Amino acid sequence: MHAPAPSPLPARNLEHAGASILVFGDAATACHAAADRFADTLGSALQERGRAVLGLATGATPVRLYASLVARHRRGELSFADVATYNLDEFYPISPFDPKSYRFYMHRHLFEHVDLAPNRAHLLDGTVPEAFVAEHAAQYDRWIAADGGLDLQLLGIGRNGHIGFNEPTDRPVAETLALPTRLVDLHPITRADASREFGAEEEVIPRALTLGVAPILAARAILVLAFGSNKADAVARSLTGAMTSRVPGSLLQSVPGKVTWFLDAEAARGLL
Ligand code: PGA
């Protein structure tokens, strides 16, 4: 097998709907560039305020980004000593020891490899009794605000255009833009995609806690990663379609200047 030719960095630089769009030859190169941006944002926040508050995402897409951050930490280039993190979502209910939980994912891919203080790594809690879930979700939003807000929110996008587990709906846009952190039902496409981890669609936990659209959009910078042809449609509809609650990614158009998309050529197919 030939080693692939090194792809230019970035291959293309586009703009749509007030967002900056970086298109790379492959996902590995895109993740490396996203890790550069992540580290730069962390460094600027440390310089400006002495601390950084980062919104983290899970799923298949950011695995190589986390590997790249861990490598930088091991080389002594990146420290999480003055960082607080807030994760985007979690299945509900779920035990933190369940390998399918996002808490487990974060430990495996990042937390156990870096110097982040355990009490500064925040995740929505899949074990909170249902009677207290609304209070837990509201408290999560208050914690982020009390921490000074998110310097950066990392996002993937679902095939159905979801961000976090803010799923497609028929709500008026203004209502969706104001959605806080809360418990939601997963969309059929999300459940179908999660069957990859759960073994079968009927096994997928049908509800989840998600950071709301409002706290996501309030982040000072937003990095969206999407790779592969199965994301091309959601990416194109988010960037070139009208703002609609049917495609939650399109709501990122409401914060022009904040959003950078890191795409591989396949995910960008509908834009080129
Ligand atoms: P994935 O999920 O990274 O596993 O494709 C992305 C998302 O659903 O936001």
Side-chain angles (χ1 to χ4, degrees):
M1 257 178 50
H2 296 290
S7 27
L9 250 178
R12 302 248 188 137
N13 215 328
L14 308 171
E15 271 210 45
H16 275 286
S20 142
I21 305 156
L22 308 179
V23 185
F24 298 87
D26 57 61
T29 315
C31 279
H32 193 80
D36 281 343
R37 179 69 68 88
F38 187 104
D40 285 350
T41 308
L42 196 165
S44 309
L46 288 182
Q47 259 185 355
E48 284 163 28
R49 282 189 309 287
R51 54 199 300 279
V53 182
L54 306 174
L56 302 180
T58 49
T61 306
V63 167
R64 276 172 292 198
L65 165 66
Y66 291 131
S68 178
L69 295 175
V70 168
R72 282 156 214 248
H73 174 70
R74 291 198 170 129
R75 292 197 299 265
E77 297 165 8
L78 185 65
S79 167
F80 289 77
D82 297 307
V83 169
T85 63
Y86 287 87
N87 259 84
L88 189 58
D89 43 24
E90 180 61 286
F91 290 103
Y92 183 85
I94 198 164
S95 155
F97 304 112
D98 188 324
K100 296 183 289 299
S101 77
Y102 290 151
R103 181 176 282 276
F104 193 96
Y105 171 108
M106 288 311 303
H107 280 274
R108 187 150 66 105
H109 292 291
L110 186 68
F111 297 162
E112 71 185 33
H113 309 291
V114 298
D115 57 344
L116 176 68
N119 63 341
R120 295 219 189 104
H122 305 91
L123 286 98
L124 287 156
D125 184 353
T127 71
V128 165
E130 190 152 356
F132 302 136
V133 157
E135 173 53 22
H136 171 56
Q139 199 172 39
Y140 200 74
D141 285 343
R142 289 198 299 270
W143 286 342
I144 294 173
D147 242 343
L150 299 169
D151 291 301
L152 178 127
Q153 176 65 59
L154 199 58
L155 289 179
I157 189 160
R159 272 195 304 137
N160 62 3
H162 74 194
I163 49 174
F165 281 133
N166 294 285
E167 300 284 28
T169 67
D170 290 322
R171 280 193 189 93
V173 164
E175 258 179 48
T176 305
L177 290 174
L179 283 173
T181 296
R182 68 206 185 284
L183 182 62
V184 297
D185 293 319
L186 297 182
H187 185 270
I189 291 180
T190 303
R191 291 211 302 269
D193 285 350
S195 64
R196 205 174 46 198
E197 285 83 35
F198 284 83
E201 208 170 316
E202 315 78 71
E203 302 292 320
V204 176
I205 297 173
R207 291 190 298 170
L209 294 161
T210 184
L211 196 67
V213 175
I216 289 173
L217 297 178
R220 287 185 274 281
I222 300 173
L223 307 189
V224 194
L225 275 60
F227 308 132
S229 55
N230 64 345
K231 298 291 174 74
D233 197 46
V235 168
R237 290 170 75 202
S238 296
L239 281 161
T240 62
M243 261 206 274
T244 165
S245 304
R246 301 290 334 153
V247 184
S250 70
L251 303 175
L252 295 164
Q253 295 177 27
S254 71
V255 289
K258 275 194 192 182
V259 186
T260 309
W261 293 71
F262 290 79
L263 306 174
D264 67 1
E266 290 177 352
R269 208 180 44 197
L271 304 174
L272 298 174

